[in-house]
Amino acid sequence: MADDQRKWDRRDVLLGAGAASLGVITSYAVVQSLSRGSSKDGVKTSIAEDQQSSAKIYDLTAGPAEIPLLGAESDPTAIWGYNGDAPGPLLSARQGDELAVNLTNRLDQPTTIHWHGIRLPNAMDGVPGLTQAPVQPGETFTYRFPLEDAGTFWYHPHANSAEQLGRGLSGVLIVEEPEQPDVDRDILWVLDDWRIGENGVIADGFYALHDMSHAGRMGNVATINGRVGTGLRAFAGERIRLRLVNVANARVFGLQFDDHAPWVMAMDGHPVSPTKVSGPVTLAPGERVDLFMDMTGDPKASFRVRDVHYARFAYTIGLIQYEDESPKTLRDSAPSPLPANPVAVPDVTGLEPQTFAIQGGAMGRLGGAELNGEYTDLRTLAREHGIVWAINGKVPMLKSDMSAKDYGGSAPLAEFKLGETAYLRLKNDTRWEHPMHLHGFAFHILKRSGAEITTPPIRDTVLLAPGEEADIAFVADNPGDWMFHCHVLEHQASGMMGFIRVS
Ligand code: C2O
Ligand code: CU
């Protein structure tokens, strides 16, 4: 590949004008895909098979590290990572395996790991104060649970989340289907968004009131697999599986693959009937999309992958560069669907949904909300408690996970009997986008703003546009207190967070 093909216009890679004064980011480094079967480039894992059981055991250490986030020509960036990198090690296991992870905390503050999207026992869910005690500096905590569902999942702290994720703590957990689908390679793209200051270091100022009351902490450097300028080397004719994971604090990605029209195969780990898309593939914070993509380009061709979600700020996030050798023959049939996960199908016949109205934020209509049983005006909530959002007129939890304090005393948003069908209407009564995420369950999205969805997707996160409504349902078959919150981490920290109780 010629050198000039690796060159970017740096305005293309970085987002926004604030980034223009950053160091040289002109070189494009093609990073090997994390293709399985071959060596897992750049992914350091510490792994052992448990002799007695089918447990897959990993060690993860959360702590400060330095990585070449801005490219090899720039100074390394100080981050917080798992095992010294961001994203952290790729954990992989087979459906039905047990996963055991020893988390050691080398940060100077408490942490936990939440297994985003995994349906697991409540005690393993990783929410400090709600499902476990925070893991203190120097301590080790072992997570252990069976993997019921195959798919693309991820892990991240649930303590001081906006800062801990904003500094790099997150990683991916791939649970393999019993049989390998018909693809040539399996590639992982972890999408992240960083706010880098003029000096090239991650900017402080987490939990800024402006970020909390608007779209969250938007960054100015977007990365794939923790590096600026990561791309995909492709062979003409192959069919790849591309797993996309959005680990950003706040940025919604809408990826366009130039001339390629991939099939959406799964969302949030759960298979959908294969759907060919030419428009942007949208991923809100927390969400995953598995694509199958036929590499229809010619040998040596290159294509830009653009993030067009915020149309006025569209930019190129990566490049698809075709090799000049060994083209394969394109498959002539569409992929068959991935096997469904064992998620119970809710039946809402005769049920009325319970409404969760999401309120507040900048330019919103919220004048105040109930806090500990007392109506409090929004100014006081913001100034004294850092709260700018409410659900159904209440601040569901005063103590966000910023301090990893006890959630005790907060009342659940809703309670369900074990085995009951939960039917919720999520109503975005704000001017902002909110990816609402539920722990412990995979829900069916039945309707969007009143319109029935014929084949309801199964997800753990649903992105609500301003004014939008979504009806979701799930069988409450997993006992415990389960978080329900916006995955814009600055919104989560400022009132858009509660829990449901299943008992
Ligand atoms: Cu990834 Cu409470 O979430
Ligand atoms: Cu939100």
Side-chain angles (χ1 to χ4, degrees), residues 433-434 486 488 491 496:
E433 291 182 302
H434 303 293
C486 179
V488 170
H491 293 175
M496 213 181 293

Side-chain angles (χ1 to χ4, degrees), residues 114-117 125 127 154-158 161 165 285-286 288 401 437-439 460-461 483-487 489 492 497:
H114 168 58
W115 305 92
H116 185 121
D125 197 43
V127 183
W154 66 297
Y155 59 93
H156 63 76
H158 224 286
S161 299
L165 279 91
R288 290 88 63 213
D401 67 358
H437 169 53
L438 178 66
H439 289 205
D460 56 59
T461 305
M483 296 289 296
F484 169 75
H485 63 86
C486 179
H487 221 288
L489 303 175
Q492 177 192 353
M497 167 172 75

Side-chain angles (χ1 to χ4, degrees), residues 116 154 165 170 189-193 244-254 282-289 487:
H116 185 121
W154 66 297
L165 279 91
S170 65
W189 275 12
V190 179
L191 309 173
D192 205 350
D193 174 38
L244 302 171
V245 184
N246 182 352
V247 304
N249 282 36
R251 178 172 299 278
V252 179
F253 290 90
T282 302
L283 289 103
E287 294 188 326
R288 290 88 63 213
V289 174
H487 221 288

Side-chain angles (χ1 to χ4, degrees), residues 4 6 83 87 103 171 195 204 211 224 244 246 250 267 269 285 311 317 364 420 456 462 480 485 496:
D4 53 69
R6 305 185 185 210
N83 299 4
L103 164 67
R195 190 181 287 180
D204 292 327
D211 291 339
I224 294 173
L244 302 171
N246 182 352
M267 296 191 295
I317 188 168
E420 189 183 343
V462 55
H485 63 86
M496 213 181 293

Side-chain angles (χ1 to χ4, degrees), residues 360-361 364-369 375-383 387-389:
R365 287 178 297 179
L366 190 71
Y375 181 85
T376 312
D377 67 90
L378 192 59
R379 191 160 300 162
T380 310
L381 286 175
R383 200 179 287 152
I387 295 289
V388 288
W389 308 94

Side-chain angles (χ1 to χ4, degrees), residues 22 65 87 90 102 112 147 202 214 256 284 336 345 350 363 368 381 468:
L22 265 178
L90 170 62
N102 306 307
T112 60
L147 298 164
I202 294 173
H214 292 72
Q256 216 142 32
S336 12
V345 180
M363 299 178 285
L381 286 175
E468 198 182 14

